[in-house]
């Protein structure tokens, strides 16, 4: 007899989901015991780490990944990572184990109240009505995840796995989904008219543009118009080459500074981004009166919430390509629009700027930099430009604990590219189990921790609020010892010379590394 479990193995093979990111419990035993050899089980020691690794893997491979979690405890632990995956537009099929249907009415041990547990962060949540519908639900979750670039969840009662498989004609999902991009003449004409009328247009590139085709399309349009291209605030990925002469830097995340930055322009077109994601509230509009705001994106949510004069819901690369053909060539700027800061003076004590500059001087153009260092994020954007797609990846929702495990998943998905995570010490502790998976499975990201001894960004916010922080620093937390406890090699660095010689030795190894390495760099708090 072929079982639901067998049919699920075939689903995983068919959809290239044979790497199973998981932390299992008793509800997953029937599925996982005696797993066929062609399925690769990847253990994470906490479910936040499991889903963050799956997230990095999906981003790196640009296709859905698969995670298997343990009923309420596993799903609950993973909610932050699932929310991050949603905001980072990461497709993940997540199966969640549940108690057996045959006695769930008695609320047995580990019976989960699962459907609403992650709110609407998963784009789709389903508990199939019958065991025989599990595979159809997984197939549908795969399509939902891919279409919306979000996590999608299927809840599977543990007794279902060994039930008889359903009939193929009962699978409520297509075998193939094609998603043709198209753009109509009317949309192009409406945007072309705005651009023709504009004396000073500017673009804002969003994370959705982080593919080679999309970078190229916006480059072509921006070069045609000689217009600056800013990066959307809090972007999870770079939408434009950050070493291009027309790259104008990241947009501010507070409205007064945003208005000031956008003041020279009479038209601002956000491409692959909404208008606009900001940090704390400040009154007033996003842009001065007289600046027309427009949006071009294939994310309906971004379109629907943007206070724009015109929004076009379409594949941005198609729109940009058509527009580039259509608009007149204008002069291009004579010098690079964005001036990178000078290297910091080589004095003691070591600061984050020194570390980021030292990395920037050495990393090859195809390096993948994972950012999770809150008080040094701006500095990182200045000194580590994304020069190729996936050159910058960061947790766009703001939840910490993603960067370390995501760098492990990215390196698994991109085995030919150097991967470097730059993390705050506080951030590292939220995802510390990632060290173990990297070491156990021979995955070699470089993890650089900026050890400033506390939650510096929070201290800065408290100072801006005019008071003392309620929370203490945690200066004594020994990150290198934590990494070593999980089996990851670690080095402690406290001066510029040691930093330079270590990076000279380590950076050339990054492309072929099969073991993770932590550099714990003690820096002065900024
Ligand atoms: C899971 C989670 N808990 C709490 C926060 C709130 N938070 C934002 S920044 C921050 C401190 C980060 O510290 P660290 O990584 O050391 O960076 P630093 O500010 O020192 O640069 C905290 C706790 C969060 N974003 N995510
Ligand atoms: Mg810190």
């Amino acid at each position: 007899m072929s079982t639901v479990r067998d049919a699920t193995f075939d689903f995983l093979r068919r959809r290239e989901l044979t790497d199973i990111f998981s932390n299992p419990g008793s509800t997953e035993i029937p599925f996982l015991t005696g797993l066929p050899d062609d399925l690769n089980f990847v253990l994470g020691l906490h479910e936040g780490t499991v889903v963050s690794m799956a997230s990095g893997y999906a981003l790196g491979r640009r296709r859905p990944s698969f995670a298997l979690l343990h009923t309420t405890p596993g799903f609950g632990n993973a909610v932050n990572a699932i929310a991050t995956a949603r905001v980072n537009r990461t497709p993940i099929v997540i199966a969640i184990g549940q108690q057996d249907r045959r006695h769930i009415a008695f609320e047995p041990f580990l019976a989960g109240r699962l459907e609403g547990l992650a709110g609407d962060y998963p784009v789709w949540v389903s508990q199939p009505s019958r065991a025989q519908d599990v595979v159809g639900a997984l197939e549908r979750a795969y399509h939902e995840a891919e279409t919306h670039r979000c996590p999608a969840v299927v809840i599977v009662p543990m007794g279902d796995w060994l039930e008889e498989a359903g009939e193929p004609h009962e699978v409520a999902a297509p075998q193939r989904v094609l998603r043709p991009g198209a753009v109509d003449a009317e949309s192009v004409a409406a945007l072309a008219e705005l651009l023709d009328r504009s004396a000073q247009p500017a673009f804002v590139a969003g994370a959705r543009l982080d593919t080679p085709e999309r970078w190229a399309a916006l480059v072509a349009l921006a070069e045609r118009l000689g217009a600056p291209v800013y990066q959307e605030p809090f972007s999870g990925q770079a939408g434009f080459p950050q070493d291009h002469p027309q790259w104008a830097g990241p947009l501010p995340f507070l409205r007064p500074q945003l208005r000031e930055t956008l003041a020279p322009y009479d038209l601002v077109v956000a491409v692959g981004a909404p208008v606009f994601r900001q940090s704390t509230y400040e009154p007033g509009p996003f842009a001065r009166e007289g600046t027309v705001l427009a949006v071009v994106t294939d994310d309906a949510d971004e379109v629907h919430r943007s206070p724009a004069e015109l929004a076009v819901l379409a594949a941005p690369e198609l729109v940009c390509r058509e527009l580039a053909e259509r608009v007149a060539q204008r002069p291009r700027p004579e010098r690079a629009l964005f001036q990178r800061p000078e290297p910091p003076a080589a004095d003691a004590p070591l600061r984050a700027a020194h570390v980021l500059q030292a990395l920037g001087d050495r990393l090859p153009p195809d390096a993948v930099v994972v950012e999770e260092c809150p008080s040094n994020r701006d500095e990182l954007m200045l000194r580590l430009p994304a020069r190729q797609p996936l050159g910058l990846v960061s947790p766009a929702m703001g939840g910490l604990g993603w960067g370390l495990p995501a760098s492990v998943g990215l390196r698994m998905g991109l085995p030919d590219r150097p991967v470097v995570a730059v993390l705050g010490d506080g951030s590292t502790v939220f995802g510390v189990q990632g060290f173990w998976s990297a070491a156990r499975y021979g995955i070699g990201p470089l993890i650089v921790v900026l050890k400033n001894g506390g939650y510096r960004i929070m201290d800065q916010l408290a100072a801006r609020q005019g008071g003392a922080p309620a929370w203490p620093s945690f200066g004594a937390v020994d990150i290198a010892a934590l990494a070593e406890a999980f089996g990851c090699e670690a080095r402690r660095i406290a001066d510029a010379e040691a930093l330079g010689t270590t990076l000279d030795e380590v950076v050339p190894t990054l492309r072929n590394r099969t073991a993770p390495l932590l550099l714990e760099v003690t820096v002065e708090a900024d």
Side-chain angles (χ1 to χ4, degrees):
M1 176 183 92
S2 175
T3 62
V4 170
R5 178 176 185 258
D6 297 326
T8 300
F9 294 155
D10 288 340
F11 155 78
L12 295 175
R13 293 173 183 126
R14 194 162 53 241
R15 298 299 183 191
E16 294 182 38
L17 299 171
T18 52
D19 293 298
I20 302 173
F21 295 88
S22 182
N23 187 294
S26 54
T27 48
E28 292 70 56
I29 296 286
F31 181 75
L32 289 171
T33 305
L35 202 65
D37 288 345
D38 65 324
L39 300 179
N40 178 38
F41 186 92
V42 182
L43 179 64
L45 299 184
H46 182 281
E47 291 79 358
T49 293
V50 168
V51 172
S52 301
M53 288 195 294
S55 230
Y57 193 54
L59 288 172
R61 295 207 316 158
R62 299 189 185 281
R63 52 179 306 136
S65 58
F66 181 68
L68 176 64
L69 305 178
H70 177 51
T71 183
T72 301
F75 196 14
N77 274 351
V79 171
N80 174 26
I82 290 171
T84 298
R86 171 127 199 179
V87 180
N88 276 75
R89 289 104 175 192
T90 314
I92 313 176
V93 177
I94 304 177
I96 315 264
Q98 167 66 302
Q99 256 287 3
D100 196 306
R101 294 175 195 269
R102 290 167 296 190
H103 71 159
I104 202 157
F106 300 106
E107 299 198 12
F109 184 62
L110 290 170
R113 298 180 182 214
L114 299 171
E115 296 229 12
L117 195 55
D120 57 8
Y121 283 115
V123 68
W124 190 70
V125 179
S126 171
Q127 177 172 320
S129 316
R130 308 175 306 152
Q132 288 70 28
D133 293 326
V134 165
V135 172
L138 288 166
E139 286 280 4
R140 174 156 175 193
Y142 180 88
H143 298 315
E144 296 278 356
E146 214 178 18
T147 298
H148 300 287
R149 311 219 64 82
C150 282
V153 166
V154 180
I155 299 161
V156 187
M158 64 190 288
D160 287 14
W161 294 119
L162 300 180
E163 293 275 325
E164 187 165 0
E167 301 284 352
H169 59 75
E170 296 297 336
V171 171
Q175 290 177 28
R176 261 176 100 199
V177 177
L178 299 180
R179 299 174 180 81
V183 57
D184 64 337
E186 192 186 336
S187 306
V188 176
L191 285 161
E193 197 193 317
L194 282 183
L195 287 166
D196 290 343
R197 224 172 48 206
S198 162
Q200 289 285 342
F203 292 101
V204 177
R208 286 187 88 79
L209 299 188
D210 194 20
T211 69
E213 306 78 49
R214 291 179 167 198
W215 274 32
L218 184 56
V219 165
L221 178 58
E223 289 185 351
R224 199 85 184 138
L225 290 161
V229 181
Y230 292 89
Q231 183 64 42
E232 72 164 321
F234 292 116
S235 196
Q237 289 165 241
F240 192 79
Q242 297 182 340
D243 56 350
H244 188 283
Q246 284 169 240
W247 192 62
L251 270 189
F253 47 76
L254 296 174
R255 292 188 198 190
Q257 291 88 322
L258 180 67
R259 280 193 294 274
E260 201 180 307
T261 303
L262 298 181
Y265 311 110
D266 57 2
L267 172 66
V268 176
V269 186
V271 188
V275 169
F276 284 112
R277 292 185 78 216
Q278 296 280 277
S279 182
T280 44
Y281 175 74
E282 299 274 356
F286 291 131
R288 66 163 169 86
E289 214 182 305
T291 299
V292 172
L293 300 176
V295 176
V296 180
T297 179
D298 55 357
D299 182 323
D301 291 339
E302 288 181 351
V303 159
H304 296 157
R305 69 173 187 265
S306 292
E309 185 173 310
L310 173 67
V312 176
L313 180 60
E317 71 279 21
L318 300 184
V319 174
C320 290
R321 259 187 246 146
E322 296 250 343
L323 281 170
E325 305 262 299
R326 178 112 177 215
V327 295
Q329 180 71 54
R330 301 190 195 186
R332 291 177 54 187
E334 276 154 26
R335 59 187 200 105
L337 294 179
F338 187 72
Q339 301 306 313
R340 294 201 179 272
E342 292 295 313
D347 54 352
L350 208 54
R351 310 189 81 94
H354 294 104
V355 182
L356 296 164
Q357 182 72 38
L359 272 171
D361 289 344
R362 290 169 176 83
L363 288 180
D366 67 337
V368 176
V369 174
V370 180
E371 177 276 331
E372 195 176 271
C373 53
S375 72
N376 301 119
R377 182 184 156 88
D378 294 351
E379 194 74 48
L380 182 143
M381 299 285 282
L382 303 181
R383 299 190 189 273
L384 289 176
R387 288 168 285 174
Q388 290 186 17
L390 287 172
L392 173 74
V393 187
S394 100
M397 195 199 63
L400 304 176
W402 182 86
L404 168 50
S407 73
V408 178
L410 275 157
R411 173 84 185 149
M412 284 178 72
L414 296 166
D416 299 328
R417 288 178 70 172
V419 175
V420 181
V422 182
L423 310 175
D425 42 5
S427 300
T428 307
V429 175
F430 285 109
V432 75
Q433 300 86 0
F435 287 124
W436 182 86
S437 297
R440 168 64 180 75
Y441 295 104
I443 317 295
L446 173 67
I447 298 134
V448 178
V449 170
L450 301 171
K451 182 176 179 168
N452 58 18
Y455 291 155
R456 185 61 189 150
I457 190 86
M458 300 282 293
D459 300 345
Q460 289 171 351
L461 291 173
R464 202 182 301 161
Q465 192 78 17
W471 50 92
S473 293
F474 50 76
V477 172
D478 187 340
I479 308 274
L482 281 173
E484 282 165 349
F486 284 111
C488 172
E489 183 191 343
R491 301 198 205 168
R492 295 180 178 82
I493 293 174
D495 63 70
E497 201 189 320
L499 177 68
T501 47
T502 306
L503 289 179
D504 284 340
E505 175 204 329
V506 165
V507 169
T509 70
L510 294 184
R511 202 176 297 282
N512 299 313
R513 278 195 82 85
T514 52
L517 174 65
L518 165 74
L519 304 183
E520 183 195 60
V521 190
T522 301
V523 293
E524 189 87 338
D526 281 318

